[in-house]
Amino acid sequence: MSEAKTDLVDVQIDGVWYQFPKGMRMIEACRQAGVEVPHYCYHPKLTSPGNCRMCLVEMGMPPRPAPGAEAPAPDENGHLPISWIPRPVIACANTIGPNMGIRTTGPLTEECRKGVMELLLANHPLDCPICDQAGECSLQEFSVEHGKGESRFREQKVKKPKNVDVGPRVRLDDERCIMCSRCIRFTDEIADDPVLGFTDRGSHTVLTVYPGRELANNYSLNTVDICPVGALTSNDFRFQMRVWFMRETNTIDTNCATGCNITVFARENKIYRITPRQNNDVNSDWMPDSHRLNFHWIESEARLTEPLVKDGDHHRIAGWHEAIATAGDKLSALDGSEIAVIASARMTNEELLMVKRLVKHLKVGHVDTVARVGEADGYLISADRNPNTNGVKLVLGLDDPGSQIEAIKLGIEQGRIKAVIALQENLVDDAGFSAELLGKLDFLLSTYPLANATADASDVVLPGACWAEKSGTMINATGRLQRLNKVVDAPGETLESWEIIRDLVQVTGGGNGIYAVSDLFKQLAAEVSEFKGLTWGQIGDLGLPLIETGVTIPALDREKQRIASGLIVG
Amino acid sequence: MAIIVQRPKLKWWEQLYIPALFIGMRVTLGHLVSILSRKTKVTMQYPEEKWDEHLPEHYRGAPALVTDEHDRERCVACQLCEFICPPRAITIKPEEIPGDDKWAKVEKRPRTFDIDMIRCIYCGLCEEVCPEQAIFLRKDYAITGTSRAEMVHDKEKLYQIGGVRVGLVNKWNELK
Ligand code: SF4
Ligand code: SF4
Ligand code: SF4
Ligand code: FES
């Protein structure tokens, strides 16, 4: 075994020999061997200060022979005997070496863990019933697994500041803090906004914000995710729902072209919170606060829930059948060159394929999507605030999405374009169409989740599902194909865009054979060469690289550098 | 193992049933005589007569919320009772206690607390799971209403049934 590749070393973990690359942290070797070493301060994306001592394990090396004595002989597999060091070592900051032995069980480690837990709990408050972390708290979990089950501490607990506002989105409870320093390292190493630190000593140590500063950067809520206890909690999620009630759905963020991988927590069709989900090719372990909190509008009063048809000056509620038939009559009467389709780069590839069908079927003369450009923040947020611009290019076949909008406006002005189909876009507020301009049209159809000025001007308004209410695929800025998964049911009569477009195609005399969004993915795989041979299942929870775009994500670039320089495990 | 029960072999006069009727009548008359002569007790005349004083200490009636001697509502809306309730009778919406409240340091309380008494099975698990000694099954058993909505006990009703309990563990004292 030991003759294998030179950069691999033999390590014995709980009595079984493994081979791991030299220089790997003991805790990572154990994890890969399927042994979870309990830990608080260690986080693979942050430096390891080794200050919580929860990860103590027993370690041993081959005995060094006394001068003149004979060196111990290796056994038939080439392994030397191990002489165990009487004192434990921390697994998070120490690296493995040749012929090392690690014991994660046994009286020594168990006593160590009991001791660490007892000290951590000595001053810990009995807050679990009101603590948002309860149910996903490492302190709770490890005290069940490794704790003593009782306290010998009879003194008065130390009182510390509670319910402290450390920033606009984060609340601190110092009594619950276990001084792991993860949050301090995150703000310093990842967010470049070192505003947190410890003051005072011993059991009086408290986490504080630097005087006159606050934890306000756009990545502040990530500290809440990595805080192993309920010391840092989110103001937005505070007391909203206990974690054990919520169902988790893996999906992606649609606020920009990065497409951060996220987990959405919902109960009874209501979304309560969003957290980043690890994907080392997209967002590492993080996501921006502005994207994380942009979901409350899904429940807004302004949600459209029924198809509307304009009667004179007013909209009245119509059934899907009537609304689609009205649209069909108007569209069939026009020539394709008089129709413009404005789709959205917030649509999934599957929906865009349906748009392409519609365009082809009606021989539509003008097609575009609305560009959304912001400023890249140098971390995760991309300058392109549309999640699927690459999908628009690839599936809808537009070379420069957004470049035709002005031409379409001109066409309406000159009366050449008589009808516009606005799919999932708000033309007035997001694309600079004025209400008067839209008034010139013979026919305007819009689909959008919310009521807005474009809906006001529309002859037919169709409620379309938002990102949390549909499934599909998108291609992010780096060319990665990722899956969007449905989290909650859409309200009222709302339909997904692909269903709406399918109905439009059908009512204007086109055929179809599409019954589910998975059918559309099969068609994509058949029609678009980049998708050839792909299946829905293959994409998986982490997505897969589909095309080369040459775009990289700055936060990931820096992470790679830190891994290369050995600062973090990654 | 199969057990074969032998049918009794009836004589011809037994098969006529008429003698059995007279035997039955004798039993009925016997009871009548013993009741009239007040020798046996009869069923209680509910609801004119009630059993309330005889309810045992461990009787499990309607669950209710209690306040303590400091006039503090003890429930902190941890929602553990909502979680454990087998028929899902409990629905809680938590809220933050405002900063100017006397008990602001407790931080959390229920905004609404509903127990659907049509669902409640009086199992007592909510009382058992409550980490704050805030919910108890009281001796109220006559839970009636003329509509489904009336059968849902809201927070106000629950505190009204629960009343004040003294002598409970007081973990939110001044030392906290
Ligand atoms: S941090 Fe964990 S152990 Fe401490 S009060 Fe919160 S849930 Fe309980
Ligand atoms: S607040 Fe949380 S993350 Fe920060 S040091 Fe305390 S326990 Fe660690
Ligand atoms: S009654 Fe008790 S268990 Fe139920 S929410 Fe209130 S504190 Fe929690
Ligand atoms: S995880 Fe190793 S010391 Fe904290």
Side-chain angles (χ1 to χ4, degrees), chain B:
Chain B
M1 200 187 77
I3 298 170
I4 294 165
V5 181
Q6 292 294 341
R7 280 183 168 233
K9 253 208 163 320
L10 299 180
K11 305 204 174 61
W12 68 268
W13 53 270
E14 282 174 328
Q15 290 180 5
L16 282 178
Y17 295 105
I18 292 168
L21 277 178
F22 284 102
I23 295 168
M25 265 314 174
R26 207 178 66 206
V27 174
T28 311
L29 282 171
H31 282 302
L32 184 68
V33 169
S34 68
I35 287 167
L36 289 179
S37 58
R38 303 207 173 257
K39 255 193 239 148
T40 41
K41 286 185 182 162
V42 286
T43 312
M44 184 178 279
Q45 296 302 310
Y46 185 85
E48 287 80 12
E49 287 180 291
K50 282 190 175 131
W51 195 45
D52 294 12
E53 313 89 76
H54 309 290
L55 289 176
E57 245 340 282
H58 56 262
Y59 185 84
R60 299 199 308 247
L65 295 172
V66 299
T67 46
D68 59 19
E69 56 264 56
H70 309 292
D71 197 26
R72 182 176 79 78
E73 63 170 310
R74 293 189 62 93
C75 174
V76 299
C78 72
Q79 292 177 278
L80 283 177
C81 51
E82 176 174 354
F83 184 66
I84 202 150
C85 178
R88 299 183 69 177
I90 305 177
T91 313
I92 301 164
K93 296 221 171 61
E95 74 177 357
E96 183 156 10
I97 301 179
D100 53 7
D101 193 280
K102 184 163 149 241
W103 292 104
K105 68 176 167 190
V106 184
E107 292 184 37
K108 197 179 178 188
R109 69 180 176 198
R111 175 156 57 84
T112 63
F113 195 122
D114 294 327
I115 305 184
D116 187 342
M117 293 311 296
I118 302 179
R119 284 178 162 243
C120 177
I121 55 169
Y122 304 88
C123 63
L125 284 177
C126 50
E127 173 173 336
E128 197 168 324
V129 81
C130 180
E132 298 283 335
Q133 294 183 305
I135 192 166
F136 293 91
L137 267 66
R138 307 303 305 248
K139 292 185 179 171
D140 305 60
Y141 54 84
I143 311 297
T144 55
T146 51
S147 67
R148 276 165 194 266
E150 239 175 273
M151 292 299 284
V152 178
H153 287 177
D154 61 7
K155 195 171 139 176
E156 194 187 344
K157 174 96 181 175
L158 291 170
Y159 277 115
Q160 187 191 322
I161 304 176
V164 180
R165 273 228 173 180
V166 295
L168 301 172
V169 173
N170 195 0
K171 72 177 236 202
W172 299 101
N173 54 19
E174 315 76 61
L175 297 173
K176 167 72 192 175

Side-chain angles (χ1 to χ4, degrees), chain A residues 121 124-141 143 175-178 228-231 242:
Chain A
L121 292 174
H124 200 84
L126 282 170
D127 274 358
C128 299
I130 59 158
C131 179
D132 276 336
Q133 190 81 4
E136 52 180 16
C137 173
S138 304
L139 200 60
Q140 283 186 327
E141 283 159 19
S143 54
E175 286 185 352
R176 296 181 199 153
C177 171
I178 57 165
V229 292
R242 313 251 61 193

Side-chain angles (χ1 to χ4, degrees), chain A residues 218-233:
Chain A
N218 198 23
Y219 289 83
S220 66
L221 281 171
N222 291 290
T223 59
V224 174
D225 301 330
I226 57 173
C227 179
V229 292
L232 295 172
T233 52

